[in-house]
Amino acid sequence: MEQVALGATGLAVSRLGLGCGGLGEARLTDAEAERVVLAALDAGVTLFDAARSYGDAEERLGRVLGTRRRDVVLSTKGGYGASGAEDWTAAAVTRGIDEACARLGTDVIDVFHLHSCPLDVLRRGDLLGALDDARRAGKLRVAAYSGDGEALAWAVASGHFGSVQCSVSLFDQGALAASVPVAAARSVGVLAKRALGNAPWRFAGRPPADDVATYWDRMHALALDPGPAGWDDTALRFAAFAPGVGAALVGTTSEAHLRAAAAIVARGPLASDVTAALRARWAAVGAGWPGTV
């Protein structure tokens, strides 16, 4: 699979990354989680994205990778849930990085994101200082932020972060018109989360889950035509090859879905006129919609 530079971080990542939220689900057995990670590795995926809030995902990922850890880029998120530390404090960041290293079975986290905290928290010097200290200590390679809206815009422009993670999909294009071009100009890496927009086309009626329902509403309001290739192909190629995006994250616990996603990304970008039409429709209908955290 194609490897691309993640901004000016010095890291190279696969164009498709595995979002590891599903690996931490209690319904998934350790053996099933292992098969998903191994399928990703076999497909050429070198970017794995986890978080403290993803259940047992970090532990399972670390166990499966073992000695192959040196072949991949490990991305995780925190700022909360650290032992004996109040959330969103310097101690939570410092201990969170140490504990993530232990769970992932590594001495260093490649990319550590402050996870969707609001702007007033993100700007705090104690949190930024804790990230700097971890980087100087060799426990962290790249300080990053995961989120959308005004906090994302500040993170990109601040100079404190080498990479960001934000929502980029057919149904969430706001960052492509605002923060992503700024990130590209400043050589800040961008990881596209929710690249399939939670695949709302799976549902005949409005789904009950709020995050999926939001994208379902947007899909119907936009009235996009996915073309003969279908929704999965159009949505994933749109996000993975959007200008300024380094890699698109797809969360799945299905080996078959993972292999299909890798095959889609291998087809390369959409035709320029197709992408232009999808962007124009968003500009006409969805330009005021906020990014979904």
Side-chain angles (χ1 to χ4, degrees), residues 6-9 135 142-144 159-164 187-190:
L6 184 61
T9 64
R135 189 167 51 237
V142 179
H160 290 290
F161 301 97
S163 185
V164 294
S187 297
V188 174
V190 175

Side-chain angles (χ1 to χ4, degrees), residues 52 78-93 121 124 126-127:
R52 181 67 187 96
Y80 53 86
S83 301
E86 183 180 349
D87 290 353
W88 302 116
T89 60
V93 172
V121 174
R124 281 176 33 200
D126 57 334
L127 301 187

Side-chain angles (χ1 to χ4, degrees), residues 100-179:
C101 283
R103 288 188 294 269
L104 288 162
T106 185
D107 294 328
V108 57
I109 303 296
D110 295 309
V111 185
F112 184 86
H113 300 80
L114 295 181
H115 195 184
S116 300
C117 57
L119 179 58
D120 61 329
V121 174
L122 180 63
R123 297 175 65 174
R124 281 176 33 200
D126 57 334
L127 301 187
L128 299 174
L131 291 172
D132 290 340
D133 290 344
R135 189 167 51 237
R136 283 191 290 267
K139 298 177 181 180
L140 166 65
R141 291 197 170 96
V142 179
Y145 174 70
S146 175
D148 288 272
E150 61 177 2
L152 172 65
W154 187 87
V156 167
S158 70
H160 290 290
F161 301 97
S163 185
V164 294
Q165 186 176 137
C166 58
S167 298
V168 176
S169 73
L170 291 174
F171 317 118
D172 216 333
Q173 299 185 37
L176 292 180
S179 293

Side-chain angles (χ1 to χ4, degrees), residues 25-53:
E25 294 179 7
R27 65 174 179 80
L28 202 71
T29 67
D30 288 346
E32 289 168 334
E34 179 177 7
R35 287 196 290 271
V36 172
V37 175
L38 292 178
L41 291 168
D42 289 345
V45 171
T46 61
L47 171 64
F48 293 83
D49 180 70
R52 181 67 187 96
S53 57

Side-chain angles (χ1 to χ4, degrees), residues 167-174 176 193-197 200-201 215 218-219 222 224-226 230-239 270 274-275 277-279 281-283 286 289:
S167 298
V168 176
S169 73
L170 291 174
F171 317 118
D172 216 333
Q173 299 185 37
L176 292 180
K193 65 177 181 175
R194 299 191 179 192
L196 294 176
W201 53 85
Y215 286 143
R218 293 183 179 187
M219 179 183 73
L222 288 165
L224 301 176
D225 178 5
W231 282 110
D232 283 14
D233 184 285
T234 300
L236 184 50
R237 292 165 72 194
F238 175 85
L270 298 169
V274 173
T275 298
L278 295 169
R279 294 290 300 273
R281 185 60 180 164
W282 171 272
W289 293 339

